[in-house]
Amino acid sequence: MIRNYITDVIVVAIVTVGVIAIGGWFSDMEKIRPVLASIASTKFNTAICLIFSAIALYAANSKTKSRILSGLGVSCAWAVIIIASLTLTEYITGIKLGIDQAIVNDLGGDANPGRIELFACLMFLMVGIILVRLQRSTSLLLVQILLPLVFFASVFITFNYISGLRYLESMPFAVNTALTTALSIIALCIGIFYSRPLHNITFSFEKKIAAYFAVTILLVGIVFFSFSANNQKLIAS
């Protein structure tokens, strides 16, 4: 069944994006093609979190639950949480903990070359928590709450780029998130949704209707917000 392979395909894609991004920090990949240039511009710690998240997702989705693989998955999930938490601490306190320059340093004159964008950092923190819960395959209620939040936040950022309306310019903490990062997190959310730990979750007809209604309201809200922001720009100009 195709559903059983969606997560594995997404894992491979995310790892590929992460490896290309890391390679871009140590080579001139930006000069090859525009697509590679976009991926290569991803923050270094973002690429690390993408790779760790993909490995944790693979471990959670694996049929064979070996102790080594499960331990690797939990370790990678916690690594994402730790990196995101330390980065949030830097943003909040202004104290440099050194994780932004641990591997890359003073590239392009940027004081924090590898630092994850603030909004992406919040999403990675939630993704890490989700992946930790997936490893245990118990009490997945938190996963069901956080997963839609991360997914629709990433969709919101992606729509900001695709629509060309730039309605997030008033929120620099969100607009600074790279399109590649937002798309990768969307892919991660889809992979998590189709992972084996969530296969056994069933929803009643009422819950499905409520979910569809909520999604519709959210999408309509995004469109309305976009046109409203665009009209405000036209009035201002």
Side-chain angles (χ1 to χ4, degrees):
M1 190 174 180
I2 298 178
R3 175 184 177 127
N4 296 329
Y5 298 98
I6 292 177
T7 300
D8 292 334
V9 171
I10 288 176
V11 165
V12 174
I14 295 299
V15 170
T16 302
V17 169
V19 170
I20 293 175
I22 291 176
W25 281 88
F26 300 103
S27 63
D28 294 328
M29 294 180 66
E30 295 183 358
K31 300 179 180 179
I32 300 176
R33 291 181 181 180
V35 175
L36 288 181
S38 176
I39 298 175
S41 63
T42 303
K43 294 293 187 178
F44 189 88
N45 284 358
T46 299
I48 293 295
C49 284
L50 287 175
I51 293 175
F52 283 160
S53 297
I55 294 174
L57 179 56
Y58 174 79
N61 189 57
S62 178
K63 289 183 179 178
T64 57
K65 295 293 184 180
S66 66
R67 182 173 298 180
I68 296 177
L69 185 60
S70 297
L72 177 63
V74 172
S75 299
C76 288
W78 275 107
V80 174
I81 293 175
I82 292 172
I83 293 174
S85 299
L86 290 177
T87 305
L88 278 176
T89 302
E90 289 185 326
Y91 276 114
I92 294 172
T93 64
I95 300 174
K96 293 185 178 181
L97 302 177
I99 63 170
D100 307 320
Q101 306 88 10
I103 299 178
V104 290
N105 191 19
D106 295 329
L107 297 180
D110 192 344
N112 304 300
R115 178 176 292 185
I116 306 172
E117 301 91 344
L118 177 57
F119 204 66
C121 188
L122 291 170
M123 290 190 287
F124 274 123
L125 179 60
M126 288 188 284
V127 166
I129 294 172
I130 290 170
L131 292 171
V132 168
R133 302 308 302 177
L134 281 185
Q135 305 298 328
R136 299 178 181 178
S137 297
T138 57
S139 184
L140 296 176
L141 178 61
L142 185 60
V143 174
Q144 298 175 57
I145 295 173
L146 293 180
L147 189 59
L149 292 177
V150 177
F151 178 78
F152 286 114
S154 303
V155 169
F156 197 63
I157 293 174
T158 301
F159 190 77
N160 175 66
Y161 285 100
I162 296 176
S163 65
L165 297 176
R166 303 296 178 183
Y167 50 79
L168 291 179
E169 288 183 354
S170 59
M171 296 182 287
F173 64 90
V175 75
N176 290 336
T177 303
L179 176 60
T180 304
T181 303
L183 290 173
S184 299
I185 293 177
I186 289 174
L188 274 173
C189 290
I190 295 173
I192 291 170
F193 180 78
Y194 284 104
S195 63
R196 286 187 173 85
L198 298 184
H199 279 188
N200 297 326
I201 294 180
T202 57
F203 299 97
S204 64
F205 179 75
E206 291 80 7
K207 289 183 178 180
K208 289 180 180 179
I209 292 297
Y212 293 146
F213 182 76
V215 170
T216 302
I217 292 297
L218 182 61
L219 293 177
V220 171
I222 291 176
V223 174
F224 176 79
F225 184 80
S226 300
F227 281 107
S228 176
N230 192 39
N231 288 334
Q232 291 296 328
K233 288 182 180 179
L234 290 175
I235 293 173
S237 61

